[in-house]
Amino acid sequence: MPNQPSATNDPSINAPERLPLFSRFGAFSMTVGMVISFFISQLLGVYVAGKLLLPAAKSSSVADVFFFGSSNGTVVSVSIMIGGILLVALIVMLIQLRGGNWQQYLALKPFSVTVGVGMLGLLLIFMIGSQALTYWLDKSPLVFVDPLYQSVSSVWLLVFAMVIVAPLYEELVFRGILWSAIAEQFVVSPSQEQRGAIIASIITSLIFAVIHLQYGVYEISTIVVLALIFCYARVKSGSLLLPMLLHIVNNGAAMWQYLAQTA
């Protein structure tokens, strides 16, 4: 008997008879809209948090709130939480408006421990190699954290926002709704599942890297590789929870190293 194409574990693209949740135009429009919403949610978060937390915010102009708020660790930490809530609500709303099950579409399900350990090992190899290259090139990728660390009311608030909250909603956006919407456009039959996964991984990884405006060219190139690892984790496990975990581990290791150097 000839070998049959293996079905993917990803529920968002595993049924060839099921029409994509988003049309091609809808997926393109939604991708552009989500990227714009990503930045708007951050700006709105900074403005709301700045108005609430900055001492002179009530009499300050909008430009002043953004200027001083974007360099204040407490404001930025709270703004990350506000922006995350807005984006999660938007993602769930978009999927439900299309008649989809948001938990299934986003692949929010358990993953194999064996796969998880293997992907953690791959991430560890990447982090060691990236750290060695960063040291050799004499780069300081977390220099933008300095003013935030120096002005935050509690370092644990900054850690919680950057290590836990940011990875969760970034994964929901990039390896979640965007990855699923792009991948399903290229899956007409089970044999094309791999093609859809590859295209979605490349596109979302490039977008994910570009939105990190606080970094330079070298850092952005390493973010592309990191994003591809997260995408591979989603494909390999069929779950978005594993990329979330890997993202938290990566950010946690980077933050731990930063705090150790500044102590």
Side-chain angles (χ1 to χ4, degrees), residues 175-217:
R175 262 67 62 182
I177 189 170
L178 295 189
W179 193 96
S180 293
I182 294 172
E184 67 182 4
Q185 304 305 315
F186 301 92
V187 179
V188 178
S189 64
S191 62
Q192 295 179 315
E193 291 169 356
Q194 186 176 18
R195 177 190 175 203
I198 291 173
I199 294 174
S201 297
I202 293 173
I203 293 176
T204 56
S205 295
L206 291 175
I207 297 174
F208 179 70
V210 170
I211 63 147
H212 287 78
L213 302 176
Q214 68 269 37
Y215 294 110
V217 175

Side-chain angles (χ1 to χ4, degrees), residues 52-82:
L52 293 174
L53 300 173
L54 292 177
K58 292 183 179 180
S59 58
S60 300
S61 66
V62 174
D64 286 338
V65 173
F66 283 127
F67 179 79
F68 293 107
S70 60
S71 60
N72 182 284
T74 304
V75 171
V76 170
S77 298
V78 174
S79 74
I80 289 174
M81 299 176 198
I82 294 174

Side-chain angles (χ1 to χ4, degrees), residues 131-188:
Q131 180 59 34
L133 185 59
T134 299
Y135 178 80
W136 181 63
L137 294 175
D138 194 25
K139 296 288 184 178
S140 301
L142 291 182
V143 65
F144 74 94
V145 179
D146 288 342
L148 304 182
Y149 173 75
Q150 294 164 4
S151 59
V152 72
S153 59
S154 169
V155 68
W156 292 111
L157 178 63
L158 185 64
V159 170
F160 178 71
M162 298 186 70
V163 175
I164 305 296
V165 179
L168 292 180
Y169 76 73
E170 286 180 355
E171 289 306 310
L172 284 169
V173 172
F174 295 98
R175 262 67 62 182
I177 189 170
L178 295 189
W179 193 96
S180 293
I182 294 172
E184 67 182 4
Q185 304 305 315
F186 301 92
V187 179
V188 178

Side-chain angles (χ1 to χ4, degrees), residues 29-46 79-80 82-88 90-91 94 165-175 177-178 204 207-215 247 251:
S29 301
M30 190 267 294
T31 299
V32 174
M34 283 302 304
V35 172
I36 294 174
S37 298
F38 186 89
F39 287 110
I40 290 177
S41 67
Q42 290 183 326
L43 292 173
L44 187 59
V46 169
S79 74
I80 289 174
I82 294 174
I85 292 172
L86 293 175
L87 286 172
V88 171
L90 177 61
I91 289 170
L94 285 173
V165 179
L168 292 180
Y169 76 73
E170 286 180 355
E171 289 306 310
L172 284 169
V173 172
F174 295 98
R175 262 67 62 182
I177 189 170
L178 295 189
T204 56
I207 297 174
F208 179 70
V210 170
I211 63 147
H212 287 78
L213 302 176
Q214 68 269 37
Y215 294 110
H247 201 154
N251 283 24

